Amino acid sequence: MIKQRQFIDLNCDLGEGVGNERELMPLISSCNLACGGHAGDSETINSVIALATKYNVEVGAHPSFPDRENFGRTAIKISFDELKNSLLKQIDLVKESCHRFNIKLHHIKFHGALYNLSASNEDYAQFITRLIEEYYPEIPIYVPFNSAIGNLANGRVKMIYEGFADRNYEKDGSLVSRSKNYAVLTDLNRIFEHVFGMVNSNEIKTISDTILNVNIDTICVHGDTPKAVQILKDLNHNLLNSGIEIKAVK
């Protein structure tokens, strides 16, 4: 019998131009700040960190391919050296802002196409792992469970395993492509069922009706998902009523 978890972290991608941070922040325990690659700048980072400190929400960097045109959701042709230089600038932008607010950078979560490539492509998984090993060995990264980077980086960098409340899954554990109309979940009952399966049973039901066995530490609701605020309010209510506390991973 699987022992029910006593807490789960709820995270959200913020500073991406949606403007709903004030509504979202009281409902989450960690956040991922866009830092100039796909969205965001120093001003938005500072304003979101100010809110995060008010609500005791842990702050992470959310770097991506330097590609605002496609919101970081398309793999672009760029050398690993160029990509490394861009990612270091992005992450350090958040890290330096955290220092000004007298808090520590809690985690790093790569965004969009870069997140997906590190999950499926060993070259990108190796690149990300080496980047973290060399420059940020003390900072955990959010990664999908049983992914290329999750397996390759095991024992080399600190990892926090992430699931997605508002996204459907393929049977191989990847997220359903956003090009498909059933990629994003918006029905509140379906979302809670989806999340409760991850938290209570260590399982994800895929669009093929197969079951993925997982071990999830943090669950993301995208800030730009329709009804994101309503989704998080519903998750907070139902998780707390199920005896599951909302708390960041320390």
Side-chain angles (χ1 to χ4, degrees):
M1 181 177 178
I2 296 171
K3 184 180 178 181
Q4 180 175 309
R5 291 192 57 136
Q6 299 303 305
F7 75 92
I8 192 70
D9 176 56
L10 291 182
N11 80 75
C12 203
D13 304 336
L14 301 179
E16 296 181 324
V18 180
N20 54 1
E21 284 84 4
R22 289 186 182 277
E23 296 174 277
L24 292 169
M25 199 67 78
L27 305 171
I28 59 178
S29 43
S30 71
C31 64
N32 324 298
L33 300 192
C35 35
H38 66 290
D41 53 29
S42 294
E43 184 178 351
T44 59
I45 290 167
N46 288 331
S47 66
V48 176
I49 292 180
L51 276 174
T53 57
K54 178 180 177 180
Y55 290 100
N56 295 314
V57 171
E58 298 288 354
V59 173
H62 196 36
S64 73
F65 280 115
D67 181 25
R68 285 176 174 258
E69 182 180 353
N70 298 299
F71 201 66
R73 287 177 173 159
T74 301
I76 62 172
K77 291 182 179 180
I78 183 173
S79 72
F80 278 141
D81 280 343
E82 291 175 292
L83 182 56
K84 181 183 79 170
N85 290 336
S86 175
L87 293 175
L88 293 178
K89 288 179 182 177
Q90 292 179 57
I91 295 167
D92 286 345
L93 197 62
V94 181
K95 192 174 182 182
E96 288 162 9
S97 186
C98 284
H99 181 73
R100 286 194 293 274
F101 281 84
N102 200 31
I103 63 172
K104 290 184 177 180
L105 182 65
H106 176 261
H107 65 274
I108 297 166
K109 174 185 169 180
F110 295 92
H111 166 81
L114 192 55
Y115 184 97
N116 294 334
L117 278 170
S118 71
S120 61
N121 181 297
E122 289 204 359
D123 289 338
Y124 277 90
Q126 187 71 256
F127 165 73
I128 293 295
T129 300
R130 287 174 176 165
L131 180 84
I132 299 300
E133 278 182 315
E134 183 173 356
Y135 295 98
Y136 310 104
E138 77 287 1
I139 301 176
I141 55 174
Y142 283 8
V143 300
F145 186 76
N146 198 29
S147 58
I149 189 165
N151 296 329
L152 192 147
N154 190 25
R156 295 171 60 182
V157 303
K158 298 175 183 178
M159 292 183 293
I160 295 172
Y161 294 114
E162 182 177 41
F164 290 86
D166 51 5
R167 295 294 301 278
N168 266 319
Y169 281 76
E170 300 281 6
K171 64 182 178 180
D172 65 356
S174 63
L175 297 176
V176 173
S177 169
R178 285 181 178 271
S179 64
K180 299 178 180 178
N181 59 13
Y182 48 87
V184 179
L185 292 169
T186 56
D187 180 81
L188 297 180
N189 291 330
R190 175 70 185 96
I191 288 171
F192 178 67
E193 178 185 324
H194 185 55
V195 168
F196 194 68
M198 296 184 213
V199 179
N200 191 58
S201 304
N202 293 346
E203 293 180 344
I204 295 174
K205 188 176 182 180
T206 73
I207 58 169
S208 306
D209 287 332
T210 55
I211 299 296
L212 301 172
N213 295 312
V214 295
N215 184 13
I216 301 299
D217 304 304
T218 183
I219 294 175
C220 176
V221 174
H222 290 92
D224 61 349
T225 290
K227 302 190 295 186
V229 174
Q230 190 177 350
I231 290 168
L232 278 162
K233 285 181 177 178
D234 188 76
L235 283 177
N236 272 260
H237 175 77
N238 287 315
L239 288 170
L240 290 171
N241 281 349
S242 302
I244 301 166
E245 184 182 0
I246 310 303
K247 188 171 69 172
V249 179
K250 298 294 185 179

